[in-house]
Amino acid sequence: MGVYFVFKNVGFDAVFKATPGMAGTSIDFLGMHLATMDTLCLLLFIGAMGKSAQFLLHTWLPDAMEGPTPVSALIHAATMVTAGVFMVCRLSPMFEYAPIALAVVTFVGAITAFFAATVGLVQNDIKRVIAYSTCSQLGYMFFAAGVSAYGASMFHLFTHAFFKALLFLAAGSVIHAMSGEQDMRKMGGIWRLIPTTYALMWIGNLALAGIGIPGVFGFAGFYSKDVILEAAWAAHSGVGQFAFWLGEVSAAMTAFYSWRLLFMTFHGKPRADRETMHHVHESPLVMLVPLLPLAAGALAAGYIFNAHFVGAQMESFWQQSLLVLGPHNTIEGAHSAPEWVGVSPLGFALVGIAAAYVMYIAVPSLPARLAGAMRPLYLFLLNKWYFDELYEFLLVAPAKLLGRGLWKIGDGALIDGLGPDGVATLTRNLARRAGLLQSGYVYHYAFAMLIGVVLLVSWYLYWMR
């Protein structure tokens, strides 16, 4: 509605053509005098935040993984959650003229990437770990768009679809093998029993963590995530540096929780009961075959399409689909970033993998000791920063209280009580009382007639005097 109010049109071509003329203008909104393009783009981004589960509007996404695993793979990898990212990139001709909105997109995306990664560190449900990973990776996509690296944002959306769908379906294969068990604390020691699933999970993890050899070859996430971080650095802005460093730390946490999942699920001593372990088996081909093209994409999609999305063929590939104003061309700046900027994400990822190895393979007692020593922090992360409890207190409980009040008092007592139910009750009571007059005794009726005659004569004498 806001776009139509300003442009009198909602067609992309018409709106994009008129956008430069709106730069520098202002609009009255909620009693404030605000920049037109910043206001419109911020309102659009709030919608994208809810659609793509960004910080503060993220709580629905982990719960969405409760459905069947193939549905989780579709939701988290390729359909619903990515729509917000696509919208921001598709509206780049508008966002390029909204610097405040771009800064907000960058900030929210960086916070989301960091927040979701911290929560993923301690989750025990195998699908919930991957769900929070999705939330974190969406943060990367958004802060890439926020620094005008729209091509990099779409590149990560593209590669992420392969390895995230692969991870979810591989997790489904594990759950199938474990007779429906999803708690990683009740797994372990099964990699020899389901070797195909194990190998596919490795490919998905390597792609998610962005592992590769610079200048030689890397898994899909190696190309898309690295160019995002390089673009954030190349923005040379305060919010760009904020996103860069939070993205680096999040890369380490991503690698940690990915290999924590791998080690807890497949390695160590079996922690499932004997009956469950007896039935552990590799999934049938109908479940494994769909994972193979996803694994191929997770393995090679970044290498194959790097030049098209963010490299030498970028202009011919995107043509007029994206707009980046000259000073905002961070992807070009990413290609000339210092070597340490390009190598650092890999370094952070390797640190995360090493930490997971030490804690879950070399010294498996260490996680419990750390959780005990830092229990408040552990519970804070385990309970997802207490957002569910906060929203329950601030929004859900008051809404329930209001709804119950409107139901019991408004609808029940007032509307029904004074309306249909009240009239019916009054009529029933009057009828019952009237029925008491019908006793069946002749002397009662004679007495009533006598009283009637007395009243009638009295009334007549009163008016005839």
Side-chain angles (χ1 to χ4, degrees), residues 31-375:
M32 298 177 286
H33 209 52
L34 304 173
T36 301
M37 294 312 303
D38 281 312
T39 303
L40 293 179
C41 289
L42 283 172
L43 292 173
L44 288 165
F45 176 60
I46 291 173
M49 286 176 64
K51 190 70 173 174
S52 294
Q54 292 301 281
F55 187 68
L56 301 180
L57 300 179
H58 65 276
T59 51
W60 67 268
L61 180 58
D63 295 335
M65 65 89 201
E66 298 290 353
T69 305
V71 176
S72 300
L74 286 173
I75 290 176
H76 288 249
T79 55
M80 184 163 59
V81 296
T82 56
V85 177
F86 174 82
M87 185 199 73
V88 172
C89 294
R90 186 68 182 92
L91 298 181
S92 59
M94 295 177 64
F95 277 85
E96 282 297 282
Y97 292 95
I100 296 176
L102 284 177
V104 171
V105 172
T106 306
F107 179 81
V108 171
I111 288 291
T112 303
F114 177 80
F115 153 74
T118 63
V119 175
L121 295 175
V122 297
Q123 298 303 304
N124 297 309
D125 186 307
I126 186 171
K127 287 179 65 178
R128 194 169 288 274
V129 174
I130 302 172
Y132 275 102
S133 171
T134 298
C135 192
S136 182
Q137 299 308 304
L138 287 166
Y140 277 95
M141 299 174 205
F142 271 112
F143 80 68
V147 296
S148 297
Y150 306 104
S153 178
M154 291 299 297
F155 190 24
H156 198 51
L157 185 154
F158 174 71
T159 60
H160 175 262
F162 287 105
F163 57 74
K164 188 52 57 70
L166 173 62
L167 286 170
F168 260 114
L169 293 180
S173 181
V174 170
I175 294 167
H176 174 76
M178 297 296 295
S179 303
E181 182 59 65
Q182 295 185 205
D183 193 332
M184 297 186 298
R185 294 170 296 183
K186 299 178 182 179
M187 298 181 185
I190 61 172
W191 74 270
R192 289 187 178 87
L193 302 176
I194 50 173
T196 304
T197 300
Y198 176 64
L200 293 169
M201 188 71 82
W202 261 97
I203 294 173
N205 274 359
L206 289 167
L208 173 61
I211 302 301
I213 302 174
V216 181
F217 180 79
F219 289 81
F222 172 76
Y223 295 95
S224 57
K225 186 185 291 185
D226 280 18
V227 75
I228 287 175
L229 292 170
E230 291 169 356
W233 181 89
H236 298 299
S237 63
V239 72
Q241 290 297 307
F242 176 79
F244 172 75
W245 287 110
L246 253 62
E248 294 276 29
V249 174
S250 300
M253 292 190 289
T254 298
F256 177 87
Y257 65 63
S258 297
W259 263 261
R260 173 179 177 266
L261 181 153
L262 194 74
F263 295 145
M264 288 183 70
T265 301
F266 295 98
H267 291 273
K269 295 180 180 179
R271 296 180 295 278
D273 59 76
R274 182 175 300 178
E275 182 68 18
T276 300
M277 291 301 299
H278 178 72
H279 289 93
V280 174
H281 60 283
E282 188 61 89
S283 298
L285 290 178
V286 71
M287 293 178 66
L288 293 178
V289 170
L291 274 65
L292 299 181
L294 295 173
L299 182 67
Y303 177 80
I304 295 172
F305 291 97
N306 181 56
H308 294 79
F309 279 88
V310 295
Q313 301 176 39
M314 180 178 173
E315 289 188 11
S316 61
F317 179 75
W318 292 114
Q319 297 184 20
Q320 305 301 317
S321 300
L322 302 176
L323 173 68
V324 179
L325 299 179
H328 297 173
N329 197 343
T330 52
I331 291 183
E332 183 178 341
H335 296 318
S336 58
E339 186 176 351
W340 70 267
V341 174
V343 175
S344 58
L346 177 61
F348 275 89
L350 293 176
V351 168
I353 294 172
Y357 178 83
V358 170
M359 295 179 66
Y360 292 95
I361 297 296
V363 190
S365 62
L366 186 57
R369 298 208 304 266
L370 286 175
M374 298 183 290
R375 188 161 183 77

Side-chain angles (χ1 to χ4, degrees), residues 389-447:
E389 291 77 5
L390 178 64
Y391 288 169
E392 175 72 25
F393 176 75
L394 293 178
L395 302 174
V396 178
K400 286 182 178 178
L401 184 63
L402 176 62
R404 185 172 182 82
L406 293 174
W407 169 36
K408 291 294 187 181
I409 299 174
D411 186 44
L414 296 178
I415 298 175
D416 288 342
L418 299 178
D421 290 349
V423 172
T425 301
L426 179 62
T427 303
R428 188 168 55 251
N429 289 337
L430 291 174
R432 186 182 300 112
R433 293 177 185 276
L436 295 176
L437 299 175
Q438 306 298 320
S439 65
Y441 294 110
V442 174
Y443 60 84
H444 284 172
Y445 300 143
F447 179 73

